[in-house]
Amino acid sequence: MDAFLNTALTNIDHSWKEVLREEFAAPYFRELQNFLKKEHYEGREIFPPSDRWFAAFNLTPFDKVKVVIIGQDPYHGIGQANGLCFSVASGVRIPPSLANIFKELQSDLGIPLPSDGSLESWARQGVLLLNATLTVRCGEAGSHQKRGWEKFTDAVIRKLNDNREGIIFLLWGNFAKEKAGMIDSTRHHILTAAHPSPLARNAFSGCRHFSRTNNLLTAMHKTPVDWHLQ
């Protein structure tokens, strides 16, 4: 396998490699790989770096997933994307949507506004931070949409739906809400809200998804998420 792609594909927890084996072998995924390889060899800068494409899957093993948050695209600014939806690399300025998430954390749970935008600590506790599209060209929002990533991440949602119980899906905004049709609400929990983007005119505020999530986890005798960020 091409070394560029091998770097990405080796950074996936073994549990996901097993669950998604058929997806990795599917024709659409080979076409996606060829597209990404072409982008790379044509000198296009791709975010996040290839060793972070599957960061969400590496930090949150399949059998440890308790909560799923669904985003759409990685950030396309230099140095921002780190492979987790809504999250940015440590030290990077906090984007507006993430700032609104932090404001809701403060309002809901009294958590002080974090100064760092990396959400890795959530991921390590079982919060799968899943973008529907896992890569993007530098400075070109949506540039890797409809190339196969959405089919892959839809398969991720279906695998979780079919093979796990009691997962809490946080669907923020219309794009994420469209995924509800793949989730069996008799076996899992679905919480919906407006997107945290400022374009939603503060409609995300007051959703209290963080406390509601922990209440559901407690009711299922699972460890609540510590939403604090260092």
Side-chain angles (χ1 to χ4, degrees):
M1 181 179 291
D2 183 88
F4 169 70
L5 295 171
N6 192 50
T7 300
L9 292 169
T10 53
N11 283 287
I12 308 174
D13 184 81
H14 65 88
S15 63
W16 283 108
K17 287 181 181 179
E18 182 64 26
V19 168
L20 297 171
R21 187 188 330 175
E22 293 181 1
E23 303 304 316
F24 292 129
Y28 84 85
F29 197 83
R30 289 197 295 272
E31 291 175 10
L32 171 61
Q33 289 182 62
N34 289 335
F35 166 73
L36 293 168
K37 185 162 60 175
K38 184 172 183 288
E39 291 277 274
H40 174 66
Y41 289 132
E42 289 180 351
R44 300 188 186 277
E45 191 168 10
I46 300 172
F47 296 143
S50 61
D51 63 351
R52 298 288 303 187
W53 291 355
F54 295 99
F57 302 90
N58 200 36
L59 293 170
T60 314
F62 180 78
D63 58 340
K64 302 296 184 185
V65 176
K66 297 190 292 190
V67 181
V68 178
I69 300 177
I70 298 173
Q72 189 164 1
D73 249 21
Y75 297 114
H76 57 84
I78 293 173
Q80 288 183 302
N82 69 348
L84 308 175
C85 73
F86 294 106
S87 176
V88 291
S90 290
V92 173
R93 182 178 178 180
I94 295 171
S97 292
L98 185 56
N100 283 339
I101 290 171
F102 288 166
K103 288 176 183 176
E104 180 60 22
L105 267 178
Q106 183 181 51
S107 172
D108 187 12
L109 296 173
I111 292 175
L113 292 174
S115 58
D116 192 292
S118 174
L119 305 181
E120 283 199 12
S121 68
W122 294 1
R124 294 183 189 280
Q125 295 178 74
V127 181
L128 181 66
L129 297 163
L130 180 67
N131 272 320
T133 302
L134 300 187
T135 58
V136 69
R137 285 181 197 160
C138 173
E140 296 184 43
S143 50
H144 285 185
Q145 291 178 3
K146 300 180 180 178
R147 293 289 184 171
W149 278 131
E150 295 92 339
K151 188 169 184 177
F152 175 77
T153 52
D154 280 355
V156 169
I157 295 170
R158 291 191 178 97
K159 292 289 187 182
L160 288 168
N161 176 72
D162 295 346
N163 297 286
R164 296 287 314 282
E165 297 279 346
I167 293 175
I168 303 165
F169 290 84
L170 306 185
L171 308 183
W172 299 341
N174 291 333
F175 176 84
K177 290 175 185 176
E178 291 175 358
K179 307 297 182 182
M182 294 185 284
I183 304 164
D184 182 351
S185 60
T186 67
R187 298 172 55 235
H188 302 282
H189 301 275
I190 301 173
L191 302 181
T192 62
H195 196 279
S197 167
L199 298 176
R201 299 183 180 181
N202 212 35
F204 179 75
S205 177
C207 69
R208 303 199 67 189
H209 276 192
F210 304 103
S211 62
R212 291 173 66 188
T213 293
N214 278 354
N215 288 341
L216 286 168
L217 289 171
T218 300
M220 292 185 286
H221 306 290
K222 298 180 181 181
T223 304
V225 176
D226 181 358
W227 298 105
H228 289 80
L229 294 168
Q230 300 300 323

